Amino acid sequence: PDSLRQVEYYYTLKGLNSYMLKDYDKTIENYKEILTIDTSYNNYITLTMIGETYDAMNMMDSALYYYELQYKIDSNNAYLLNNYAYSLSKVNKDLDKALMMSEKTLEDSPDNSAYLDTYGWIKFQLKDYETALKYIKKAVEIGGVSAEVYEHLGDTYLKLGNIEKARESYTKSLEMEANRFNLEDKINIKTGK
């Protein structure tokens, strides 16, 4: 058993390294190697990371499959719940389930900026833009957010008709990740100009 744990640990580290290098195929290969060793599917890191990697590859059906596998084992892990809920919101699927999962994460960590953004983005998908704005703004105020969160903030401001605030948020997003989108196209498409 100890030697099996060491092998799992080895592939976990290799998987994390590959993920950080954005070598997603190698990441999947390493994590799936763990699943051949531990067929009990008890390793939430493995299943969650496979889901997260497929999400990064924009292979959402595969991501949701692995998140669901882990969810059936442990429906209380906040990290999994946040990733799963956010992935569901990205594909605009099972939003009631996503909302319930996101609410659980906020009960666990009400000041986690990633969890706040997920909740806000689900509310955005549900067309509750005022609530979305409240939670996404709080995520930004707490700090440590990605370009994607600023893009969410911009999208929300745009839906609420505040083009200037949307432009500010989009500009901040692009400062963080220059090739994320074309600012003028985004503003013009959303406003119909």
Side-chain angles (χ1 to χ4, degrees):
D2 283 343
S3 62
L4 283 179
R5 294 290 163 232
Q6 290 172 341
V7 173
E8 286 181 17
Y9 184 68
Y10 169 77
Y11 282 110
T12 298
L13 290 179
K14 281 185 70 174
L16 285 172
N17 185 56
S18 297
Y19 186 83
M20 289 170 56
L21 294 172
K22 297 186 180 185
D23 184 351
Y24 298 132
D25 290 330
K26 194 58 123 173
T27 304
I28 297 291
E29 182 182 310
N30 284 303
Y31 282 114
K32 284 190 174 179
E33 189 65 33
I34 296 168
L35 297 181
T36 66
I37 296 165
D38 181 3
T39 57
S40 67
Y41 292 103
N42 280 334
N43 188 338
Y44 88 88
I45 294 171
T46 302
L47 294 173
T48 302
M49 283 305 298
I50 291 172
E52 194 169 327
T53 304
Y54 278 126
D55 189 331
M57 297 167 75
N58 206 28
M59 298 174 68
M60 298 310 293
D61 287 342
S62 295
L64 295 174
Y65 171 79
Y66 280 94
Y67 287 148
E68 182 63 22
L69 275 180
Q70 181 54 38
Y71 183 74
K72 288 177 181 175
I73 296 166
D74 179 7
S75 62
N76 293 308
N77 180 286
Y79 184 79
L80 164 73
L81 292 175
N82 182 66
N83 285 0
Y84 193 4
Y86 185 65
S87 293
L88 287 169
S89 74
K90 283 171 60 175
V91 295
N92 208 3
K93 180 178 179 183
D94 295 330
L95 293 178
D96 290 336
K97 180 178 182 176
L99 189 63
M100 178 271 303
M101 289 190 289
S102 186
E103 287 168 349
K104 282 176 103 171
T105 67
L106 289 174
E107 287 170 14
D108 185 59
S109 300
D111 293 323
N112 181 306
S113 58
Y115 298 174
L116 289 162
D117 175 62
T118 295
Y119 186 81
W121 194 244
I122 294 165
K123 286 295 194 174
F124 179 93
Q125 297 291 47
L126 291 167
K127 300 182 180 1
D128 182 354
Y129 303 121
E130 292 291 342
T131 303
L133 181 64
K134 175 183 167 186
Y135 280 86
I136 296 169
K137 275 179 64 175
K138 186 174 179 184
V140 168
E141 289 165 7
I142 288 171
V145 299
S146 67
E148 189 166 19
V149 176
Y150 280 100
E151 184 177 1
H152 289 168
L153 186 59
D155 289 347
T156 306
Y157 275 127
L158 211 49
K159 283 291 187 183
L160 292 169
N162 191 334
I163 295 170
E164 192 53 44
K165 285 284 194 184
R167 186 179 294 277
E168 286 175 23
S169 300
Y170 290 144
T171 300
K172 180 64 177 173
S173 177
L174 290 172
E175 287 171 4
M176 297 172 77
E177 194 178 316
N179 296 322
R180 187 159 184 83
F181 52 81
N182 181 296
L183 176 63
E184 293 309 315
D185 287 347
K186 189 145 182 126
I187 295 286
N188 292 339
I189 288 169
K190 299 277 183 171
T191 59
K193 293 182 180 174

